Amino acid sequence: MKGKTVKDTFRIFDYGRMDRRTGRLTAMWMAVGALLLLLLWLLWGEGGYVMAWAVSLFGALTLLYIMSIPRKVAVGDTALEIRCIVEVTHIKYADLRSIRRIPPEAMKKKSVLLGSYGFFGYYGYYIDSRNWEVLKLYCKQWDDFIEITDIYEKRYIISSPAPDDLVGAVTEAMRYYADSESLE
């Protein structure tokens, strides 16, 4: 590790584009929302508090989902950052237990608890029905999964177009951080 600096460990990984499945699900959810609003408008007529309430609720949910879309993963000097449009999740290297790739088959028994399934990605709280754990997902596509576990037994699942590079960069940053902590 001689000659390495903190700047050598800093990297940013972009989530890339949505896959076709996510694009289709996004279009489907938008169509379902528009159909529900149209049905409500046909049943209640134009105007009124029910229609205003429904449009406001649909708009608020849509904006909430859009603000939570994962954008980038930053491998920083002391922490891994998962950056969404508004939210940033910090996972300190001292708190990281493991990071590894997982196959898509491992995601079969995961269900949405509170979050998005296909609306511009897969993010939020999911439940693992195999061992009844709550996971936090930050995925833009349903492929190339990386599982991050911290010392508090929290599990994060992220996706990346370059999963091996991301796992390698985080592992290297964890080693650098551990070495720099032992020198102090």
Side-chain angles (χ1 to χ4, degrees):
M1 291 281 171
K2 289 183 179 179
K4 278 205 166 223
T5 65
V6 173
K7 290 182 181 178
D8 293 332
T9 63
F10 186 79
R11 288 183 65 189
I12 292 181
F13 292 87
D14 195 14
Y15 267 91
R17 300 176 55 93
M18 293 186 300
D19 59 355
R20 287 184 184 166
R21 175 184 173 172
T22 307
R24 286 189 293 245
L25 283 170
T26 300
M28 183 206 63
W29 287 121
M30 292 297 283
V32 165
L35 284 173
L36 287 174
L37 288 175
L38 180 65
L39 181 67
L40 188 66
W41 182 74
L42 290 172
L43 291 175
W44 258 274
E46 49 187 83
Y49 71 92
V50 174
M51 189 65 188
W53 177 84
V55 169
S56 298
L57 181 65
F58 180 72
L61 282 174
T62 303
L63 287 176
L64 181 64
Y65 280 138
I66 289 172
M67 289 188 306
S68 299
I69 296 172
R71 306 300 295 163
K72 297 177 183 185
V73 176
V75 180
D77 53 350
T78 60
L80 175 70
E81 294 180 353
I82 303 167
R83 298 177 182 172
C84 299
I85 291 179
V86 174
E87 174 192 6
V88 176
T89 301
H90 294 275
I91 307 169
K92 295 181 181 177
Y93 297 130
D95 296 342
L96 254 171
R97 177 176 288 162
S98 68
I99 180 168
R100 66 184 179 100
R101 285 194 66 182
I102 58 173
E105 298 84 38
M107 296 297 290
K108 286 191 178 186
K109 297 285 183 170
K110 313 291 189 273
S111 304
V112 178
L113 185 62
L114 183 63
S116 168
Y117 182 81
F119 188 76
F120 291 104
Y122 309 88
Y123 45 88
Y125 294 97
Y126 279 56
I127 189 158
D128 185 357
S129 59
R130 286 186 189 163
N131 50 9
W132 296 102
E133 284 186 89
V134 175
L135 315 167
K136 191 139 187 203
L137 257 71
Y138 297 98
C139 301
K140 207 159 186 182
Q141 56 194 8
W142 201 251
D143 198 13
D144 296 327
F145 298 110
I146 299 169
E147 180 186 60
I148 301 167
T149 308
D150 65 9
I151 60 173
Y152 308 108
E153 297 297 323
K154 288 184 182 174
R155 288 174 48 201
Y156 304 89
I157 307 286
I158 61 175
S159 66
S160 174
D164 293 326
D165 291 341
L166 179 58
V167 170
V170 172
T171 304
E172 182 180 331
M174 286 170 59
R175 272 192 237 126
Y176 176 79
Y177 180 77
D179 288 348
S180 65
E181 283 290 307
S182 65
L183 292 176
E184 290 178 1

